[in-house]
């Protein structure tokens, strides 16, 4: 259950490898901006209270950053390194994050990949924390590290008392939120109506299971990250010509690719229920740690033959979802789960990750639209890692960065052997949709043949087809 990212870097002219020591020093100097990165999870004695976050007195940044030395790595070697790294669970005896640095890759490149447990951050916060690694220019001035000492002690009695206090505070907050509904009758009725709609919608989704498909099978520990990039120019042209949102376009492209995957697997394409994470953070809210997301369910029109019909069905659903207020109601319901007794909480968590509720996750995370740098090297790509729960063989993350949309397929390669072909399918679905909405007589942007349909010189793209 770790989220994360993969980044390919372009080394400055004449530089043979990334300065890994400078990168580690840079990370260490900025950790005060993300205090949770020095904290570990401690269980309360006897399980009488919730686990809690406590400063790790043995924190050492070099336990979290691994640097691969040796000659420049080939693209195939990078793929193996990245997949092996993402296939390992994070150690529970330290803060739940890790970084792998590949200082020298063939063709004047470098790379790194990071992972952070979802208990620490949501997808948006993970990306923003990842940006702590980056600079706005190649010659950014170093940040002076702030002095840090672990707070308090982590003895069993102290952990127990702190956990009980934290649980009591959370229960008080939950009670206060409920009581606040009665302070304003109009507001209370509105929220009650929203909650009722959200609860009914969730109940309907649970009663009517998601369609059966080859994506929902038992999975093992192996993971693979498969990538594809399309230019922002192409994506925005589709958006403009179709009169849709960028998120609508992304979901429609995903529907087209998954339709091709079903056909390849000799299955009749059927609509899939997709979980779409939605950030509920306020603009002024701290984004450095914790989860502030809820979710929505969307029926992805994989059965539709027409690309424009797929886009229109997605657009209609997203408009209806925004107008219904169900997202706000679902957030309140999710927050209330924290106040449930432990057995009910576990059952709710199991349901939330069940293939009965949804077939796969598709997450669209907005990233920076300007080029970034790490230890003097230009960041050429950022691909997000969206975790896959039990019996889900595939997730799709999309992140906008610089002048591109970065699609990241995260999958169990044994449960879904065809995952490596999805870059070609995403490219074909993009071109199919672009051609369908393009005004008569308009010229299409031709992908650069040097890179090919699925960015052949991307460090970890899979050769497919």
């Amino acid at each position: 259950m770790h989220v994360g990212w993969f980044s390919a870097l372009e080394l400055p002219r004449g530089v043979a490898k990334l300065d890994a020591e400078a990168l580690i020093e840079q990370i260490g100097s900025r950790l005060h901006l993300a205090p949770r990165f020095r904290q570990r999870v401690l269980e309360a004695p006897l399980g009488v209270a919730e686990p809690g976050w406590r400063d790790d007195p043995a924190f050492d940044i070099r336990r979290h950053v691994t640097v691969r030395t040796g000659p420049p790595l080939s693209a195939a070697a990078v793929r193996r390194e990245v997949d092996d790294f993402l296939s390992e669970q994070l150690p529970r005896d330290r803060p739940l994050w890790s970084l792998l640095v590949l200082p020298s890759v063939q063709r004047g490149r470098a790379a790194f990949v990071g992972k952070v447990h979802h208990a620490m951050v949501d997808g948006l916060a993970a990306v923003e924390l990842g940006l702590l690694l980056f600079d706005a220019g190649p010659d950014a001035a170093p940040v002076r590290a702030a002095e840090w000492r672990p707070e308090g002690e982590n003895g069993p009695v102290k952990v127990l008392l702190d956990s009980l206090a934290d649980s009591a505070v959370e229960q008080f907050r939950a009670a206060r939120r409920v009581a606040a509904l009665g302070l304003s009758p109009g507001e209370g009725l509105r929220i009650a109506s929203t909650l009722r709609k959200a609860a009914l919608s969730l109940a309907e989704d649970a009663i009517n299971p998601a369609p059966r498909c080859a994506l929902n099978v038992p999975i093992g520990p192996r993971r693979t990250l498969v990538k594809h990039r399309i230019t922002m120019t192409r994506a925005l042209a589709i958006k403009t010509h179709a009169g849709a949102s960028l998120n609508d376009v992304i979901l429609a492209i995903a529907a087209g690719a998954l339709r091709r995957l079903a056909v390849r697997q000799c299955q009749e394409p059927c609509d899939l229920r997709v979980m779409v994470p939605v950030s509920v953070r306020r603009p002024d809210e701290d984004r450095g740690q914790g989860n502030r997301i809820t979710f929505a369910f969307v029926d992805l029109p994989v059965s539709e033959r027409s690309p424009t019909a797929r886009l229109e069905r997605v657009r209609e659903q997203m408009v209806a979802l925004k107008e219904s207020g169900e997202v706000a109601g679902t957030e309140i319901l999710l927050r209330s789960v924290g106040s449930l007794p432990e057995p009910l909480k576990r059952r709710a968590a199991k349901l939330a990750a069940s293939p009965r509720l949804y077939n796969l996750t598709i997450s669209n995370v907005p990233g920076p639209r300007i080029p970034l740098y790490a230890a003097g090297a230009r960041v050429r790509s950022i691909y997000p890692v969206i975790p896959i729960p039990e019996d889900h063989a595939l997730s799709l993350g999309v992140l906008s960065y610089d002048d591109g949309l970065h699609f990241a397929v995260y999958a169990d390669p044994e449960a879904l052997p065809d995952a490596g072909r999805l870059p070609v399918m995403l490219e074909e679905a993009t071109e199919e949709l672009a051609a369908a909405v393009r005004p008569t007589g308009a010229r299409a942007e031709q992908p650069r043949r040097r890179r090919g349909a699925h960015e052949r010189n991307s460090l970890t793209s899979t050769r497919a087809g």
Side-chain angles (χ1 to χ4, degrees):
M1 285 302 295
H2 46 253
V3 296
W5 64 92
F6 169 88
S7 289
L9 311 176
E10 181 181 0
L11 297 172
R13 188 181 299 274
V15 175
K17 64 179 182 178
L18 185 73
D19 189 343
E21 287 300 316
L23 184 64
I24 294 173
E25 183 179 348
Q26 177 176 306
I27 297 169
S29 71
R30 299 177 181 182
L31 281 176
H32 65 282
L33 301 173
R36 185 60 48 86
F37 273 42
R38 288 193 179 108
Q39 295 178 333
R40 54 171 294 201
V41 175
L42 288 183
E43 297 281 349
L46 306 177
V48 297
E50 298 286 352
W53 297 101
R54 301 291 182 272
D55 283 352
D56 181 8
F59 177 80
D60 182 351
I61 191 172
R62 295 187 182 275
R63 298 178 73 197
H64 298 267
V65 183
T66 301
V67 180
R68 288 283 183 265
T69 58
L73 297 174
S74 65
V78 171
R79 284 197 296 273
R80 288 193 296 270
E81 290 278 358
V82 170
D83 289 354
D84 288 346
F85 176 77
L86 293 174
S87 298
E88 295 178 1
Q89 285 194 350
L90 287 159
R92 294 331 195 225
D93 64 343
R94 65 196 68 173
L96 298 174
W97 66 277
S98 185
L99 188 70
L100 172 65
V101 183
L102 308 175
S104 182
V105 176
Q106 290 177 355
R107 303 181 66 175
R109 297 287 179 106
F112 61 78
V113 55
K115 56 186 177 184
V116 187
H117 198 281
H118 216 335
M120 288 178 61
V121 294
D122 56 38
L124 183 60
V127 170
E128 294 188 352
L129 287 171
L131 298 184
L132 294 178
L133 303 170
F134 304 139
D135 297 308
D139 302 315
V143 177
R144 183 177 180 181
E147 186 178 355
W148 177 81
R149 290 190 180 89
E151 290 186 2
E153 59 172 316
N154 292 328
V157 175
K158 180 68 163 60
V159 171
L160 174 60
L161 293 176
D162 287 348
S163 298
L164 289 171
D166 290 345
S167 297
V169 169
E170 180 53 37
Q171 290 175 11
F172 170 74
R173 287 173 176 167
R176 187 174 62 181
R177 287 194 293 267
V178 173
L181 299 182
L183 298 179
S184 172
E187 184 71 5
L189 288 173
R190 185 188 66 79
I191 294 178
S193 175
T194 300
L195 277 171
R196 179 175 175 274
K197 290 179 181 177
L200 289 175
S201 177
L202 283 176
E204 183 179 356
D205 289 331
I207 292 171
N208 300 314
R212 288 192 166 201
C213 73
L215 302 180
N216 301 123
V217 293
I219 61 174
R222 296 294 304 162
R223 298 291 180 266
T224 188
L225 188 66
V226 184
K227 293 157 294 300
H228 178 64
R229 176 185 176 276
I230 67 172
T231 65
M232 188 63 70
T233 302
R234 293 177 73 195
L236 293 178
I238 297 172
K239 169 184 177 294
T240 301
H241 295 155
S245 71
L246 188 59
N247 192 62
D248 296 341
V249 171
I250 289 169
L251 289 174
I253 290 173
L258 291 170
R259 178 181 176 84
R260 286 165 168 77
L261 180 63
V263 170
R264 176 172 177 79
Q265 295 173 329
C266 300
Q267 294 185 336
E268 182 67 25
C270 67
D271 293 353
L272 300 176
R273 188 184 296 166
V274 173
M275 186 180 78
V276 181
V278 180
S279 174
V280 291
R281 291 181 186 273
R282 299 186 305 272
D284 60 340
E285 191 171 351
D286 174 27
R287 301 186 179 188
Q289 60 191 39
N291 271 282
R292 291 292 287 118
I293 60 170
T294 184
F295 56 84
F297 294 117
V298 177
D299 291 329
L300 202 66
V302 177
S303 64
E304 287 283 0
R305 289 180 175 273
S306 165
T308 52
R310 290 195 291 264
L311 179 58
E312 183 58 24
R313 279 186 54 186
V314 166
R315 192 189 67 80
E316 290 174 353
Q317 285 189 77
M318 297 308 293
V319 169
L321 188 66
K322 293 173 184 176
E323 293 176 349
S324 70
E326 287 182 12
V327 170
T330 303
E331 181 209 359
I332 299 173
L333 286 175
L334 281 178
R335 292 173 67 180
S336 68
V337 169
S339 303
L340 292 175
E342 191 65 25
L344 292 179
K345 188 186 301 182
R346 288 182 180 275
R347 290 178 65 181
K350 286 282 189 181
L351 175 62
S354 168
R356 179 183 181 88
L357 210 54
Y358 64 97
N359 299 111
L360 77 155
T361 301
I362 299 180
S363 179
N364 175 24
V365 180
R369 299 291 296 274
I370 59 171
L372 299 173
Y373 297 81
R378 179 167 176 169
V379 178
R380 283 297 179 184
S381 60
I382 307 175
Y383 291 93
V385 173
I386 308 299
I388 50 176
E390 188 176 357
D391 295 331
H392 291 75
L394 172 72
S395 69
L396 179 62
V398 185
L399 186 139
S400 54
Y401 164 64
D402 199 4
D403 62 347
L405 277 180
H406 296 78
F407 288 75
V409 175
Y410 192 57
D412 179 336
E414 296 175 4
L416 193 65
D418 289 326
R421 297 184 177 272
L422 277 164
V424 169
M425 297 175 184
L426 287 165
E427 175 61 30
E428 291 174 349
T430 302
E431 184 51 39
E432 178 188 43
L433 183 58
V437 302
R438 189 179 299 132
T440 304
R443 292 184 60 188
E445 178 195 344
Q446 295 298 323
R448 286 175 289 183
R449 292 300 176 188
R450 238 180 2 169
R451 293 194 173 190
H454 57 288
E455 198 180 14
R456 291 189 180 91
N457 71 340
S458 175
L459 291 180
T460 63
S461 68
T462 298
R463 290 190 179 274

